[in-house]
Amino acid sequence: MPPFPEAAAHELRNSQQRHNLHKATRTIRAKRDALVAERDDWEQLRLSAEAIKNDTLAHLDEYLLQFEEAATAAGAIVHWAPDAESANRIVARLAVDAGADEVVKAKSMTTEEIGLDRALAAAGVDAYETDLAALIVQLAGDVPSHIVVPAIHRNRAEIRQIFDKNMGAFGRPAPDGMTDDPASLAAAARAHLREKFLRAGVAVTGANFAVAETGTLMLVESEGNGRMCVTMPKTLISVVGIEKIIPTWRDTEVFLQLLARSATGERMNPYTSMWTGVHHAEGVSGEPVADGPEQVHIVLLDEGRTDVLADPAGRSALRCIRCAACLNVCPVYSRTGGHAYGSVYPGPIGAVLTPQLRGLHSEQDRNLPYASSLCGACFDACPVRIPIPHLLTHLRSKVVDAEPAFPPSPERVAMKAASAIFERPAAMGLGERLAGLAHKVIRGGPDANVPSVPGLAGWFGSRDVAVPPPESFSNWWSRTDGGTRDGGDVP
Amino acid sequence: MRIALFIACFNDVMYPRTGKAMVRLLRRLGHEVVFPRGQTCCGQMHFNTGYQDDCIPLAEHFCDVFDGYDVVLAASGSCASMVEEYYPTLADRAGSQRLHRRVDSVGARLFELSELLVDVLGVTDTGSYFPHRVTYHPTCHTLRMLRVGDKPTQLLRNVEGIELAELPEAEECCGFGGTFAIKNADTSTAMGSDKVANAMRTGAEVLTAADNSCLMHIGGMLSRGRSPMRPLHYAEILASTREDPLGTGGPVREVDRPTREFAP
Ligand code: SF4
């Protein structure tokens, strides 16, 4: 994956995608704004969520153990996965042990992050996405472009084509006469997926929240496919990042109000499923039978999260509840789309979270913190008040600090030179010298057609440059004593 | 009132007109303006590019220069936000409680033009005259870091003769972002073109803002597109009077087109 600037340049040329993104992000934005505006306690809710998450992160070890204890007591089996590889191994083994050669998936950002599908395939297990947008992405052989709406970059006409062409290869083909009407597309997806749900013995899901007090997992969704996954198959495996913990049942009140409004611009999401271990009901002849899955496994995933926690200036990124509000307001994301970020977590939160989770080792990860104009719209939208612009500048400083001092990069040389000049009181005539130089470079030379200045080609590609006037403000002030003599033009 | 001007390095060299306009405006309103010697750069470009160590001496220097003044006016909204928002981060990095106290103190006395006029001086009508159609772009740092709200438009609305046209999607970033405009030139350009397209839709003669850096980026695109619309810091509009009116033609044009057909 090329670094963001090149990847973005490529995506920007896809005009259909740009059109789709513009339309979709603006629609969600408007819905979100309207629903946020009707709450006069929105800021208090944000502050509460921030405080709860900060408390959770400060005592994460205790809450995780509390969660494990409560979930185990309720009949769930908790597995600890320090990294992606061990999480994948655990899930694959569980699926194989359950005798499955296919699993259905819902709410699976985290499994996307760890590349679970490939690991399952290697173990002879096919994984099927059941969320409509995730299904579209899977059928198209694509990767998600958005946290909440993975197929946001596609429009209806494209989706109809994808269904028509590829559904058959994955199971029940698209019906004849399917149109690009949303109802018609949804009906095709429903028929295709129903077959999967009825057959699957194993489901793999993520979770939005894990309640430490009760050992409960919570899944929030719009379509009901997640509800099917957590109730129909006999074995339920949930892969949960350790940052998904919230301390008490009561805390869900705060997050459920924030999440639906921020994510989809709804007062409440249509389906909220909660499960606590294995539940037994009474069978016809009085014997206990499992109500829902007979086996519930929870894989608690670290995969870099404790490293993020160890950085006091960076850990607030772990408050993220993956609502994608920051993506929908981001002027960079809404033009490039998610693929340019080269990560399952795109947009502003991706630009900070991905390099934190993966480390700043690759050129691609070192470029992500720069994939922002620092406009700050993300912070205003974020329901848990993650100061994304601060995190971006923090990570940029880590990138620079980690660079070897020798040989210095051209950028470092320029920055050093600039600060050396600026540390000293405004050198008299500095402005004039710069202006003189600019006039020479830009208009005074023998060949006046100078389209560019070395190192600044990016600027000149689309913009002219303002030529500095012959006299700087500081020189004017000293020459005219603040505009009071020698032709100073301020009365 | 005695007001110390913080011009910012970029305005000093590229846009001295903005500082002069502020001097003219504040004197007209009966205030004394001083220009503290030795002021340089706030370090925003270094900070935002990741060179935090290089900013610490600049923050120290900034405090030295503006220590003795009760009220400091920043000619650039984004430089003001650098001081208020990020100097404390630098003090933390330097591990210096003393620097922390100093930057907190200077930050509390530093204002962007509309904050100074409306909040400190209690002025919303500056007695200005500017008979042109104008659209206002609220730059990200004034809007979301300084939180100036609608103070700049309150002031502009009271300018005699002005016709204020609302900018569609006004609060969307123009795509400048300091070195972002160079490091991510393609994305920056995509954002800038949308801003320019929205500005053109207003039919305004002048696009105004509180930051010359954003105006330079937008102006550079307007110029490349041969647009007649002029970028102009709103201090210049407020400085304009019936007796000494500012046109939107000649003097505003600082953007040169280094292309062959325009070469001498
Ligand atoms: S960073 Fe905030 S706005 Fe963005 S996805 Fe996470 S919680 Fe939502």
Side-chain angles (χ1 to χ4, degrees):
Chain A
M1 187 76 195
F4 186 83
E6 285 110 86
H10 174 80
E11 299 297 326
L12 285 165
R13 283 194 287 272
N14 184 343
S15 58
Q16 179 66 62
Q17 171 172 287
R18 253 173 96 174
H19 175 81
N20 299 346
L21 283 165
H22 183 93
K23 209 169 146 211
T25 52
R26 259 144 249 259
T27 307
I28 311 177
R29 258 190 232 187
K31 283 168 70 183
R32 180 240 171 229
D33 290 351
L35 285 186
V36 164
E38 69 179 26
R39 293 299 301 246
D40 49 18
D41 60 348
W42 185 251
E43 201 48 39
Q44 279 91 326
L45 277 172
R46 288 176 84 208
L47 287 163
S48 308
E50 178 186 6
I52 295 167
K53 279 281 183 181
N54 282 349
D55 167 64
T56 314
L57 293 172
H59 306 284
L60 191 59
D61 50 345
E62 295 159 35
Y63 286 125
L64 280 166
L65 291 174
Q66 193 190 0
F67 175 83
E68 180 186 34
E69 197 178 322
T72 309
I77 298 164
V78 175
H79 310 257
W80 297 82
D83 53 25
E85 206 219 307
S86 58
N88 286 335
R89 200 170 347 103
I90 294 166
V91 178
R93 180 173 48 75
L94 290 171
V96 171
D97 286 356
D101 57 7
E102 55 182 51
V103 303
V104 284
K105 287 176 70 194
K107 276 278 159 183
S108 48
M109 286 294 298
T110 312
T111 65
E112 191 77 38
E113 175 191 337
I114 60 177
L116 177 68
D117 289 9
R118 279 190 306 278
L120 285 174
V125 180
D126 292 326
Y128 294 111
E129 297 294 344
T130 63
D131 172 82
L132 180 55
L135 172 70
I136 295 163
V137 168
Q138 184 174 40
L139 292 177
D142 202 350
V143 286
S145 178
H146 188 275
I147 294 177
V148 173
V149 198
I152 193 170
H153 56 304
R154 304 284 196 176
N155 60 28
R156 286 193 268 141
E158 292 173 292
I159 294 166
R160 196 197 62 82
Q161 248 189 351
I162 292 165
F163 278 10
D164 218 21
K165 235 174 87 195
N166 302 336
M167 247 180 190
F170 284 77
R172 190 188 174 116
D176 295 333
M178 175 181 65
T179 68
D180 62 10
D181 182 60
S184 174
L185 293 173
R190 189 172 296 124
H192 177 85
L193 288 170
R194 183 141 302 165
E195 207 182 76
K196 298 269 191 303
F197 286 130
L198 290 172
R199 216 170 42 210
V202 176
V204 178
T205 73
N208 292 86
F209 304 104
V211 184
E213 181 182 48
T214 55
T216 305
L217 289 185
M218 192 175 293
L219 194 78
V220 170
E221 39 131 10
S222 301
E223 296 163 19
N225 62 300
R227 173 75 51 91
M228 298 285 268
C229 286
V230 303
T231 48
M232 303 261 305
K234 282 195 162 40
T235 302
L236 171 60
I237 308 166
S238 302
V239 182
V240 184
I242 54 173
E243 82 287 7
K244 293 287 170 70
I245 294 277
I246 53 175
T248 70
W249 188 255
R250 256 200 87 167
D251 298 327
T252 58
E253 173 224 1
V254 172
F255 290 101
L256 288 178
Q257 295 188 70
L258 288 170
L259 181 56
R261 282 182 163 80
S262 302
T264 46
E266 293 168 296
R267 289 190 187 86
M268 184 67 189
N269 47 284
Y271 294 88
T272 303
S273 304
M274 304 159 202
W275 65 102
T276 311
V278 178
H279 190 250
H280 288 98
E282 218 168 84
V284 261
S285 42
E287 81 288 4
V289 291
D291 175 16
E294 288 164 15
Q295 276 202 44
V296 170
H297 294 272
I298 302 165
V299 181
L300 292 172
L301 175 76
D302 183 342
E303 179 65 4
R305 285 157 175 80
T306 47
D307 295 337
V308 184
L309 194 60
D311 177 3
R315 71 168 62 129
S316 61
L318 293 180
R319 295 205 294 261
C320 177
I321 57 172
R322 312 281 190 266
C323 71
C326 58
L327 277 65
N328 299 331
V329 298
C330 177
V332 173
Y333 173 85
S334 74
R335 290 177 178 85
T336 62
H339 294 161
Y341 294 80
S343 153
V344 259
Y345 305 115
I349 186 61
V352 292
L353 193 57
T354 303
Q356 283 180 289
L357 291 173
R358 297 200 294 219
L360 295 160
H361 309 300
S362 71
E363 196 53 29
Q364 208 245 335
D365 285 325
R366 281 194 296 272
N367 262 285
L368 281 175
Y370 293 92
S372 163
S373 63
L374 301 178
C375 82
C378 47
F379 169 71
D380 282 9
C382 177
V384 287
R385 295 171 45 88
I386 298 173
I388 297 175
H390 287 231
L391 293 180
L392 289 162
T393 55
H394 169 64
L395 290 171
R396 291 175 185 189
S397 80
K398 287 182 107 173
V399 170
V400 167
D401 292 346
E403 261 176 19
F406 289 100
S409 65
E411 182 181 280
R412 180 179 290 269
V413 172
M415 291 287 169
K416 283 275 173 226
S419 56
I421 292 169
F422 290 136
E423 265 167 49
R424 260 169 271 121
M428 274 279 290
L430 165 71
E432 284 60 33
R433 285 208 303 279
L434 281 176
L437 182 70
H439 276 274
K440 254 190 222 115
V441 171
I442 293 162
R443 46 148 53 158
D447 182 3
N449 183 15
V450 178
S452 175
V453 170
L456 294 178
W459 180 276
F460 285 90
S462 59
R463 289 155 286 210
D464 287 343
V465 70
V467 176
E471 188 178 42
S472 68
F473 181 86
S474 43
N475 255 30
W476 166 81
W477 185 280
S478 7
R479 182 175 61 77
T480 65
D481 200 11
T484 56
R485 61 176 165 78
D486 292 344
D489 50 6
V490 174
Chain B
M1 189 178 281
R2 187 157 166 270
I3 297 157
L5 257 187
F6 162 47
I7 285 294
C9 56
F10 176 74
N11 287 321
D12 184 41
V13 175
M14 300 292 286
Y15 296 94
R17 309 161 46 95
T18 302
K20 291 183 197 173
M22 288 180 175
V23 174
R24 184 182 304 144
L25 170 67
L26 292 171
R27 284 198 186 138
R28 193 173 80 219
L29 297 173
H31 302 284
E32 185 195 345
V33 184
V34 292
F35 179 59
R37 291 270 145 188
Q39 58 178 278
T40 57
C41 165
C42 68
Q44 182 175 206
M45 177 183 74
H46 292 84
F47 187 89
N48 285 354
T49 315
Y51 294 80
Q52 292 195 4
D53 284 338
D54 294 300
C55 312
I56 295 170
L58 296 176
E60 291 276 10
H61 181 72
F62 188 91
C63 294
D64 290 344
V65 170
F66 291 103
D67 231 0
Y69 301 95
D70 293 333
V71 171
V72 182
L73 166 62
S76 146
S78 92
C79 299
S81 74
M82 170 69 202
V83 174
E84 290 180 15
E85 188 96 11
Y86 287 123
Y87 272 15
T89 308
L90 289 175
D92 288 344
R93 183 171 172 110
S96 164
Q97 276 303 318
R98 182 171 169 273
L99 183 56
H100 226 299
R101 281 193 299 275
R102 295 185 85 201
V103 301
D104 287 350
S105 148
V106 79
R109 289 178 282 121
L110 181 74
F111 302 95
E112 182 274 333
L113 180 63
S114 72
E115 293 177 321
L116 176 74
L117 291 171
V118 178
D119 295 346
V120 182
L121 304 176
V123 176
T124 48
D125 190 342
T126 49
S128 315
Y129 172 74
F130 192 70
H132 301 282
R133 190 171 169 85
V134 173
T135 192
Y136 173 75
H137 165 56
T139 64
C140 300
H141 288 181
T142 44
L143 188 72
R144 282 182 284 263
M145 283 169 102
L146 294 179
R147 310 256 176 214
V148 300
D150 69 343
K151 284 169 215 160
T153 39
Q154 279 180 41
L155 292 159
L156 288 169
R157 224 171 272 128
N158 286 327
V159 171
E160 196 191 335
I162 204 169
E163 218 189 309
L164 260 189
E166 199 175 321
L167 181 64
E169 304 188 333
E171 299 191 354
E172 184 114 347
C173 177
C174 72
F176 174 61
T179 45
F180 173 78
I182 296 161
K183 282 181 185 278
N184 281 285
D186 294 281
T187 311
S188 167
T189 299
M191 291 156 72
S193 353
D194 288 349
K195 180 59 71 182
V196 165
N198 279 325
M200 301 299 277
R201 234 167 265 158
T202 65
E205 295 161 71
V206 165
L207 178 123
T208 196
D211 267 299
N212 278 324
S213 45
C214 308
L215 286 171
M216 181 181 75
H217 158 73
I218 301 170
M221 298 193 89
L222 287 169
S223 166
R224 183 64 60 94
R226 306 283 189 266
S227 162
M229 189 182 295
R230 293 286 155 243
L232 195 60
H233 195 289
Y234 79 116
E236 293 206 64
I237 295 178
L238 298 183
S240 172
T241 56
R242 254 185 200 285
E243 296 69 45
D244 191 6
L246 178 77
T248 67
V252 187
R253 272 177 76 132
E254 276 172 13
V255 174
D256 270 337
R257 296 169 183 149
T259 50
R260 200 169 285 281
E261 65 263 44
F262 283 88

